[in-house]
Amino acid sequence: MPRTGTGPDFIESLARGLEVIAAFRPGQESMSLSDVATATGLARPTARRILLTLAELGYVRADAARYTLTPRVLELGTAYVGSQGLWQVARPHLQELSARTNESCSVAQLDGSDIVYVARVAVPKIVGLSVQIGTRFPALQTSLGKVLLAELPAAELEDVLAEPSRSGLTPLWQPSKKERDAELRQVRARGWAMTDQQLALGIRSAAAPVHDGDRVVAAVNVNTHAAETTVEQLTEHHLPLLLRTAGEIGADFARLRSLPQVVR
């Protein structure tokens, strides 16, 4: 259903437009007017006006009675990534880590109960899940998410995990609160996290936090296929490289943030 705000400054039409964009998901790449109206809960005339506006702005393409998003929508996500500076800072470090492990490496941040990938260097391997910048997964079942969740105060953690995931994926691991808390305590104590086929079959990864001073601003991981990389290889060979990379990204990011900003 469309989001509604409580304050006088809330722009409902903008919220509705974003709801329409978000309605296009995997398996729903092409939608009719009726599809969009049903998915968003909007009246057909309202959905039609929003689609026509998005088409005029270049975010939606109309083909007969079907609508699809255009690549211009990527600008909305890359604007965030670019404004944070994480991609520019992380890229050379991810490239080196990927070259030394021969594995895909990523940086992600927390968004509600999900992680969202904001930087990635991939190697051509067959894996069970497709990942790109902007992909989201339930945080608790990923090594990246465990690192980020472990940093949250207890009350905030409960609020975050109470939010429904928007990833559309049902993970394999469904822990009790006791199991969850024990896992996050372990992550907090050792300073890194691992997931072993808890998100999906074949996915095994390790992650470490990226610090900006005293704050954890992101997490970085090495992702492997369980059939190719043992837990011992992941923790004994890849993990030391990963921990060093996380420290280097954090140091570079902190230096970037400390530079005076040019006002234009």
Side-chain angles (χ1 to χ4, degrees):
M1 295 296 291
R3 299 177 186 270
T4 56
T6 57
D9 297 323
F10 186 82
I11 304 175
E12 188 174 350
S13 58
L14 175 59
R16 288 175 170 179
L18 294 174
E19 289 284 344
V20 167
I21 291 175
F24 291 86
R25 299 179 180 227
Q28 294 178 300
E29 296 87 356
S30 174
M31 302 176 72
S32 67
L33 172 59
S34 295
D35 293 335
V36 172
T38 299
T40 59
L42 294 169
R44 282 173 57 94
T46 302
R48 177 178 177 275
R49 289 196 301 271
I50 292 173
L51 285 167
L52 292 177
T53 300
L54 291 172
E56 188 168 337
L57 293 173
Y59 293 109
V60 166
R61 180 182 297 110
D63 183 11
R66 309 289 295 182
Y67 297 87
T68 57
L69 297 181
T70 72
R72 187 171 186 183
V73 171
L74 293 173
E75 295 174 3
L76 301 175
T78 56
Y80 168 77
V81 174
S83 70
Q84 297 297 299
L86 265 175
W87 169 234
Q88 293 90 334
V89 168
R91 178 169 54 184
H93 297 292
L94 290 181
Q95 288 172 334
E96 181 179 356
L97 180 61
S98 179
R100 298 189 68 177
T101 60
N102 194 32
E103 302 289 357
S104 297
C105 305
S106 306
V107 173
Q109 293 180 302
L110 200 61
D111 181 25
S113 62
D114 293 334
I115 56 161
V116 178
Y117 287 79
V118 298
R120 180 167 172 83
V121 171
V123 297
K125 289 189 175 184
I126 298 176
V127 294
L129 296 172
S130 174
V131 178
Q132 56 193 339
I133 291 178
T135 295
R136 60 173 59 236
F137 291 131
L140 187 59
Q141 288 80 8
T142 67
S143 58
L144 292 160
K146 289 178 186 178
V147 165
L148 297 169
L149 292 171
E151 293 295 318
L152 299 180
E156 186 177 350
L157 174 66
E158 296 301 332
D159 290 341
V160 164
L161 292 179
E163 297 185 32
S165 171
R166 291 188 283 143
S167 71
L169 176 71
T170 301
L172 295 179
W173 188 48
Q174 299 291 337
S176 66
K177 183 178 183 301
K178 183 178 179 180
E179 292 171 325
R180 179 202 75 188
D181 290 345
E183 179 79 7
L184 295 181
R185 276 196 304 272
Q186 184 182 49
V187 172
R188 202 174 297 117
R190 67 189 182 187
W192 57 274
M194 185 179 74
T195 186
D196 189 3
Q197 304 185 83
Q198 294 174 326
L199 181 67
L201 286 175
I203 304 299
R204 176 178 290 155
S205 69
V210 175
H211 292 267
D212 176 15
D214 294 332
R215 300 182 307 135
V216 171
V217 294
V220 57
N221 84 339
V222 174
N223 187 75
T224 71
H225 196 290
E228 298 179 353
T229 304
T230 64
V231 171
E232 289 73 22
Q233 184 179 359
L234 180 61
T235 56
E236 293 175 10
H237 179 265
H238 295 353
L239 180 61
L241 299 173
L242 170 67
L243 292 172
R244 187 173 72 183
T245 298
E248 291 171 347
I249 294 173
D252 283 356
F253 188 62
R255 281 192 288 268
L256 174 67
R257 304 276 280 191
S258 68
L259 294 174
Q261 301 299 309
V262 177
V263 179
R264 298 180 180 178

